[in-house]
Amino acid sequence: MANGGPVKHGYPHLETVRAAVTALYRRLSYDTVHAFATSVAPVDVAFCDTDDLYLGAQRVARELVRHFRLPDARLIVSFREMEHAANVELTAGPEYFIELNDRFRTHRRDIGAALAHEVMHVYLHRLGLSFPGTRDNEILTDTATTYLGAGWLLLDAYREDASSSQKLGYLTPEEFGYVLAKRSLVFGEDPATWFTSPQAYTAYTKGLAQARQDERQPPLTAAGWVGRRRYAKERRHAQDRVVAAVRGDVRGDVRGIAPGDVPYAFTPDGGGPLRVSFPCPTCHQRIRVPVRGRVRARCGLCRTVLDCDT
């Protein structure tokens, strides 16, 4: 939790975020992910200063348990002085003890954000889904919370001005905006009207622009002219390398021919045509198709149909 300190911006964790989205689809399946097409409604997690602190926190916790479909989980919420925003004791259940930072006694509108992250820890614990290392596992938790419909609360808890700042979670504001935008593009749900923080809205718009870039990478037909021109050049280079290898003019392995700064890679397919692999713009699983002009590809993981010009 950034409380008055500097807030990191940009996309330093983007590759881990994308890996987390892929892991969600692989572990949950397409149907389960789409069961979360509706986000937590603002009215269901609203918390007024006149609400009883403990009763209100339990009410919001129950709503998040309902949203994440954990009907047999019972959360006991308490408050204490601590460095982090919150902590949950992951046990066999069904009772889970969540501690919230004492700060939330007077910042009650952000209690839902803190609880959303901790309830997702319970959800992933029950799934047996985790990433190695504390940092990557927390990024997975933030990403899952957001993609499954409660992470807009975490982004809305981000506020920053000349004299103070607050941010919850391990992702940067722009990365929260990116995951939220990826969700919005899949489910057609616009979270922009839910933000009470103007800084959160700005971060969302930046994340949306980054997410749309994923849909404009070659060999997708929506790619821009510069990207298409670069792709054609790399494709010719890969084809020349394969021909030279067949003739014996090139030594070594010619698999995975592509520069390191583009998401696609070319691979020869035995005696068949050259193939190109690239990440699905929705779930980021790699897709491999023949290099033969206009093709339509369907991602086997998230079922997205992609128009490509290979």
Side-chain angles (χ1 to χ4, degrees), residues 30-279:
Y30 168 89
D31 291 330
T32 303
V33 169
H34 278 252
F36 292 92
T38 302
S39 290
V40 173
V43 67
D44 292 332
V45 290
F47 205 120
C48 301
D49 288 340
T50 56
D51 291 344
D52 180 271
L53 178 63
Y54 291 94
L55 292 179
Q58 293 294 155
R59 172 183 58 80
V60 173
R62 285 194 300 271
E63 179 57 34
L64 291 166
V65 164
R66 183 204 64 78
H67 174 77
F68 289 125
R69 295 165 175 78
L70 295 168
D72 59 336
R74 298 192 297 273
L75 305 184
I76 293 88
V77 182
S78 62
F79 297 80
R80 71 173 176 88
E81 290 186 9
M82 56 196 300
E83 178 183 357
H84 300 290
N87 180 64
V88 62
E89 183 181 346
L90 295 176
T91 62
E95 290 188 340
Y96 298 90
F97 294 89
I98 295 179
E99 296 175 316
L100 298 183
N101 192 299
D102 264 342
R103 172 184 174 83
F104 294 113
R105 291 179 181 273
T106 55
H107 293 73
R108 298 184 181 186
R109 66 173 175 170
D110 298 323
I111 284 177
L115 286 174
H117 180 93
E118 301 310 315
V119 175
M120 179 50 65
H121 269 303
V122 175
Y123 184 83
L124 295 176
H125 173 68
R126 289 192 169 190
L127 279 178
L129 177 59
S130 64
F131 278 0
T134 299
R135 169 188 168 276
D136 286 0
N137 201 53
E138 293 291 348
I139 292 171
L140 168 65
T141 304
D142 277 343
T143 303
T145 306
T146 306
Y147 205 85
L148 299 184
W152 69 267
L153 291 161
L154 285 160
L155 180 54
D156 196 41
Y158 162 56
R159 290 179 286 279
E160 188 173 18
D161 56 37
S163 59
S164 64
S165 65
Q166 174 184 280
K167 186 190 76 70
L168 304 183
Y170 281 67
L171 300 185
T172 67
E174 292 78 16
E175 288 169 338
F176 272 119
Y178 172 80
V179 181
L180 195 56
K182 300 290 280 189
R183 170 186 168 78
S184 177
L185 293 172
V186 169
F187 299 116
E189 186 182 63
D190 183 8
T193 59
W194 300 338
F195 295 124
T196 62
S197 164
Q199 293 83 16
Y201 177 78
T202 300
Y204 171 67
T205 59
K206 291 180 179 180
L208 179 59
Q210 180 69 34
R212 290 196 181 278
Q213 281 298 314
D214 292 347
E215 301 178 335
R216 297 170 183 156
Q217 295 291 330
L220 302 175
T221 55
W225 181 83
V226 174
R228 294 295 312 159
R229 186 178 178 86
R230 169 79 181 276
Y231 176 85
K233 177 183 176 182
E234 300 299 343
R235 180 180 59 199
R236 287 195 301 270
H237 174 68
Q239 289 169 333
D240 291 345
R241 291 268 297 174
V242 171
V243 170
V246 171
R247 293 174 178 173
D249 297 334
V250 175
R251 295 181 179 179
D253 197 349
V254 297
R255 292 177 294 177
I257 304 169
D261 59 344
V262 294
Y264 52 84
F266 296 99
T267 55
D269 188 21
L274 191 71
R275 289 180 174 266
V276 60
S277 65
F278 60 95

